[in-house]
Amino acid sequence: MKPGPRRSLSHREILDAAFELLEAKGFDAVSVRGVAGALGLTPTAMYTYYPNKQALLAGMVEQVLGRLPIGSTADGTARASADGAADARSRVLAVAHGLRDLLVHRPGAVGLLLATPLDGANARRIDEELLAAFTGAGLDLASAGRAAHAVRIHVLGAVAFDAAEAGRTAEAQAEAETPGAASDTLWDDLESFPLADRCRTLADDPAERFSWGVERLLDGLLAAMPAR
Amino acid sequence: MKPGPRRSLSHREILDAAFELLEAKGFDAVSVRGVAGALGLTPTAMYTYYPNKQALLAGMVEQVLGRLPIGSTADGTARASADGAADARSRVLAVAHGLRDLLVHRPGAVGLLLATPLDGANARRIDEELLAAFTGAGLDLASAGRAAHAVRIHVLGAVAFDAAEAGRTAEAQAEAETPGAASDTLWDDLESFPLADRCRTLADDPAERFSWGVERLLDGLLAAMPAR
DNA sequence: ACCTGAACACCGTTCAAGT
DNA sequence: ACCTGAACACCGTTCAAGT
């Protein structure tokens, strides 16, 4: 092929192609070469838009985090309320569930978040909302920072575990469909894990488990207020 | 080279070489080819020991998790105490801090944990300890399962964030040492993040932040007991 | 059983060259 | 500025063949 026409793609078009690839074939398929191919470009042409793969992934993270609505209450900054803690709880819950919904409905997005620094403008915007909520509840700035960090950890970690678990059960199903392969790794160690085994039969719903965990975390965080 | 002598390596030797590579050059250096090369083997010889890379990584995870001491109190099963919640707290804290120490002192180990299912025997052993602690505190099995999951998430997530943060500041330092490169990505967006900016100047110690977060999480989890 | 060597289908990235 | 084509130094994995 000769150089071809100057298409001059926008970053939007490139990111759209990358997300299409992500949702169709998973995170591993989001390669510089793969995205270039989907756009009808040579791999090297990608380097005129992004200096490296990290920058491309960072662009994707920014786009997906940008879809999280924040501070949705219409009253703007005037948010003073009778109960600062209750206010904080609802604001943090909105961020937590919003973020989870964003990632759960986007297969492969977890890999994206885990592979990328999370220091872009939209990540900072989310941080700011969490900090505002916790300081509004009466926490000092240092505690609010730690509380926001704990929420960050919990949301991302929960989604990552859910995704890993979903992938594993999908594999297990695919394996069960091939009757030739006997159940491998049936270790039957001397050890047994009665509680864990009984627990596994419960088959908890991921969404409910997430909700419960965030509520309990908030119970602990919002109790960390200076006595007043 | 001809086939060479039958060395018949043990899994231990292979895993040791893999960990040496992990600590020396990071998680990305732990490749089938890399480990084989460190052992003086051809890449394909690795496949007589492990069916694929996943299995090799799973072996590494099992070895590192095996170093976590559990149930260190000498009294064995006789653990009934006046305050079940206080007992549970100390047991969970032991697991959480033990696990964190294991990972923090082993650069690259986080990548390992994030890339592998965590369903091996040692992972189950840790699960069992957490479940025992929470049920001992009076939680029903379903709640204990959710609580254990929350702890799992928090410990791994915290270590993952710390590692990412450490990597980022290391990069920033390396960049600062090359005075030719001006400070890139100084966006100066219209938005500003006063709380997040002030928060960043606090420079919280990761170990203290972790401790605080786990304590707050446990505050919330151990309050989730049936009223008695 | 354990190992080699060649091969397949991939990566991210750089460089010289074209328009 | 945007793009191609060749190239470099890697991946995981398979296959046929040797001992």
Side-chain angles (χ1 to χ4, degrees), chain B residues 13 19 26 40 51 53 60 88 92 103 113 116 118 128 136 159 178 188 222:
Chain B
E13 292 174 284
F19 274 109
K53 188 185 182 179
M60 295 178 74
V92 174
L103 300 177
L113 272 288
T116 320
L118 286 182
E128 188 72 14
V159 181
T178 65
D188 284 325
L222 291 174

Side-chain angles (χ1 to χ4, degrees), chain A residues 135-177:
Chain A
T135 52
L139 270 69
D140 61 295
L141 188 57
S143 299
R146 288 172 164 183
H149 189 243
V151 171
R152 219 158 33 218
I153 285 172
H154 201 86
V155 174
L156 251 77
V159 181
F161 267 95
D162 286 353
E165 214 164 76
R168 213 164 331 127
T169 55
E171 275 174 37
Q173 281 182 357
E175 199 170 312
E177 280 165 17

Side-chain angles (χ1 to χ4, degrees), chain B residues 1 3 6-8 42 44-45 49:
Chain B
M1 255 195 273
R6 288 195 172 216
R7 255 161 308 178
S8 197
T42 278
T44 52
Y49 296 98

